[in-house]
Amino acid sequence: MLPNTGKLAGCTLFITGASRGIGKAIALKAAKDGANIVIAAKTAEPHPTLPGTIYTAAQEIEAAGGKALPCIVNVREEQQIINAVEKAVKTFGGIDILVNNASAISLTGTLETATKKVNLMMDVNVRGTYLTSKACLPHLRKSKNPHILNLSPPMNLNPMWFKNHCAYTISKYGMSMCVLGMAEEFRGEVAVNALWPKTAIHTAAMDMLGGAGIEKQCRKTDILADAAYCILTKPKTFTGNFIIDEVLLREEGVKDFDVYAIAPGHPLMPDFFLDVEIDTTTMNQEGYGAAKEEKKLSRSQQEGADAAKAKTESAAAMPSGPVAETFRVIQGAVTEEYVRSTQGVFQFELSGDGGGTWYIDLKTKGGSAGFGKAPVTADVVMSMSSADFVKMFTGKLKPTLAFMTGRLRIKGNMALAIKLEKMLSQLNSKL
């Protein structure tokens, strides 16, 4: 891990979303130098499922050697931002660093994203970042070495990062565009940079998105804290950069990255917006060149689905091949326990050999799996290639990774989709 140098001693950091997760980790790293931390976050009372409040975070920061100022701030409310900035300046004499960490996420397609969710992501991610930066900038310009650091990605225009969660991508790239614009606007006065993890980071939000067991594929928040510390201790001439945590730390001489892993040695899941080198060929074919073919397949799949209504689910009517064999094994593995614990119906729209419409019914008594549409309305519809489907059900491709890299599209109940990964881990020994 990156050692502290004391360079942030006496500096005041205004960090949004600092009551838990990445924001708190950055705060604690700076606190070890003796920094002043303004905890600008919403959670004043204990949350029923998420850990920490602005007050418990303040206790940890002061225990680590820093000074803390907890402020109730919802970045959707401009006046709350202004009030917290004024309180910070009155308490600590100024602001040296702003970390725009607060963020909202909904990994849903255009038609599945409720307007209130769109508003939330745009308000928190884009507008909140912009307004907090605007409120802090007059004070940052008075600092000797001011920085703004946004937790946002490089703007990768590969269409696969848009097609599954367009609104979320727009909102995160909006944060990155703030970096692009403000870095140039305030060049020579205030450094403005973006930081993004190479791999998934274990936070409460990741637990909700990925379900139980996802932490083994993640790194600790410490890696982002170390990377942020490295950026924030650089001169203000270091500006306009879109930084990936591991790349920066390697340049700084860090060699042991196992210390950042939740489960050292376990394969790590790449984060959103970063193309995975090992999957480049597959992703290029499926993300770019196959666009027209994908539309044709969708129409043929729909025709196949309509025709399937007239068919029985018997083995004789079921196509042959790896997909059919996988469903045959799934059918044999379905138990009342799976049905009782899952209570969901999954429909699969598969392209390629053995494709078409398939289903797993884990809601109806006894459960079932087979070719065609389910006996009852599907709760979740998953679209992917037949080859990736077989890989997913034989443990060679994680559903979360398939989704994050654009190889799996999900419509419907995301919570049930997450349950599928747990079920797959139990089924893999039989497939």
Side-chain angles (χ1 to χ4, degrees), residues 165-235:
H165 37 74
C166 189
Y168 174 63
T169 299
I170 291 170
S171 70
K172 291 305 290 187
Y173 284 11
M175 294 177 71
S176 299
M177 292 176 79
C178 286
V179 171
L180 200 62
M182 293 179 190
E184 199 59 36
E185 184 178 1
F186 298 99
R187 187 174 293 276
E189 294 184 273
V190 180
V192 186
N193 296 287
L195 174 62
W196 194 248
K198 182 177 180 179
T199 72
I201 301 297
H202 184 231
T203 61
M206 181 56 73
D207 279 337
M208 288 192 293
L209 289 170
I214 194 69
E215 70 277 359
K216 292 180 181 178
Q217 302 173 55
C218 301
R219 280 176 170 159
K220 303 170 188 174
T221 53
D222 295 341
I223 189 167
L224 281 172
D226 280 2
Y229 183 86
C230 181
I231 295 164
L232 299 174
T233 53
K234 287 182 180 294

Side-chain angles (χ1 to χ4, degrees), residues 105-107 204-211 214 272 400 414 418 421:
I105 183 170
S106 180
L107 300 177
M206 181 56 73
D207 279 337
M208 288 192 293
L209 289 170
I214 194 69
F272 288 96
T400 311
M414 287 296 293
I418 290 168
E421 183 157 5

Side-chain angles (χ1 to χ4, degrees), residues 111-186:
L111 298 178
E112 292 74 41
T113 309
T115 301
K116 66 178 183 179
K117 284 287 187 182
V118 177
N119 291 341
L120 174 66
M121 289 187 283
M122 300 303 169
D123 284 355
V124 173
N125 300 356
V126 188
R127 185 173 177 273
T129 293
Y130 185 92
L131 292 180
T132 308
S133 300
K134 181 183 177 182
C136 288
L137 272 163
H139 306 287
L140 290 168
R141 295 171 88 177
K142 298 175 185 177
S143 173
K144 291 181 180 179
N145 194 38
H147 279 263
I148 294 176
L149 181 63
N150 291 356
L151 272 293
S152 65
M155 289 180 286
N156 183 348
L157 297 184
N158 184 334
M160 75 178 190
W161 297 119
F162 291 82
K163 69 177 186 178
N164 285 344
H165 37 74
C166 189
Y168 174 63
T169 299
I170 291 170
S171 70
K172 291 305 290 187
Y173 284 11
M175 294 177 71
S176 299
M177 292 176 79
C178 286
V179 171
L180 200 62
M182 293 179 190
E184 199 59 36
E185 184 178 1
F186 298 99

Side-chain angles (χ1 to χ4, degrees), residues 303-368:
E303 290 167 5
D306 292 339
K309 292 179 181 177
K311 294 182 179 181
T312 66
E313 309 302 342
S314 65
M318 190 182 291
S320 59
V323 172
E325 176 60 19
T326 301
F327 272 97
R328 186 190 66 77
V329 176
I330 292 170
Q331 172 67 67
V334 170
T335 65
E336 284 291 354
E337 177 55 35
Y338 282 140
V339 174
R340 187 165 50 253
S341 61
T342 307
Q343 284 298 291
V345 179
F346 304 87
Q347 183 172 309
F348 299 88
E349 298 293 344
L350 306 180
S351 61
D353 293 341
T357 301
W358 299 76
Y359 75 91
I360 301 175
D361 178 3
L362 295 175
K363 181 184 282 185
T364 307
K365 184 174 175 61
S368 62

